[in-house]
Amino acid sequence: KLVKDILSRPAVVGTIKMSITEASRILIENNINHLPIVDEKEMLSGIITSWDIAKAMAQDIGSISEIMTKSVLCATPDETIDMAARKMSRNNISGLPIVDSNNMVVGVVSAEDISKLIGRTG
Ligand code: SAM
């Protein structure tokens, strides 16, 4: 099985210019925990999770670009789910933005998506 078989689409993304409150709302309204952040050209430039928002609150930080993780670990639609799962567990993260060859975000795969898949088939 490949990443593209379980990709949540359309990609829910945030932008560098949005407020932390807006980003929090997107996470809650979509029931997700990973928000890839894109720049004006819609290129991936970071990722935030609820953990980053908690950190922003704890440290009184006010902007997305200050709290987002800038070196984002990604996967591509044609990678195997196995490879994506290994990337997550090795790096202690629970979600990967899926990017195409132009670095455009096409979706997100989370550890939850993978465990659901295993729960269904196993
Ligand atoms: N294990 C928990 C989890 O997976 O959410 C918490 C620890 S994890 C180190 C939390 C940090 O990882 C956050 O600062 C978040 O921005 C970052 N993070 C989450 N997904 C990421 C990804 N795909 N690439 C890089 N950093 C990521």
Side-chain angles (χ1 to χ4, degrees), residues 13-14 16 35-39 41-48 68-75 96-99 102-105 107:
V13 296
I16 290 178
L35 191 64
I37 304 294
V38 299
D39 64 16
K41 291 176 184 150
E42 298 194 19
M43 297 292 168
L44 181 65
S45 53
I47 187 166
I48 64 162
M68 69 185 191
T69 302
K70 292 185 175 118
S71 52
V72 188
L73 236 107
C74 302
L96 295 171
I98 310 304
V99 292
N102 300 315
N103 210 27
M104 301 271 285
V105 182

Side-chain angles (χ1 to χ4, degrees), residues 1 5-6 113-122:
K1 277 234 172 200
D5 300 325
I6 60 163
D113 297 328
I114 295 176
S115 60
K116 268 187 203 147
L117 175 81
I118 292 170
R120 236 190 7 241
T121 57

Side-chain angles (χ1 to χ4, degrees), residues 41-95:
K41 291 176 184 150
E42 298 194 19
M43 297 292 168
L44 181 65
S45 53
I47 187 166
I48 64 162
T49 65
S50 48
W51 190 87
D52 299 306
I53 291 173
K55 189 174 152 198
M57 295 295 127
Q59 299 182 352
D60 210 12
I61 298 172
S63 74
I64 291 282
S65 58
E66 279 176 281
I67 58 161
M68 69 185 191
T69 302
K70 292 185 175 118
S71 52
V72 188
L73 236 107
C74 302
T76 61
D78 290 316
E79 265 178 61
T80 62
I81 292 170
D82 227 59
M83 277 168 72
R86 231 169 278 147
K87 259 186 205 172
M88 285 193 246
S89 84
R90 281 200 194 125
N91 294 281
N92 189 31
I93 51 175
S94 56

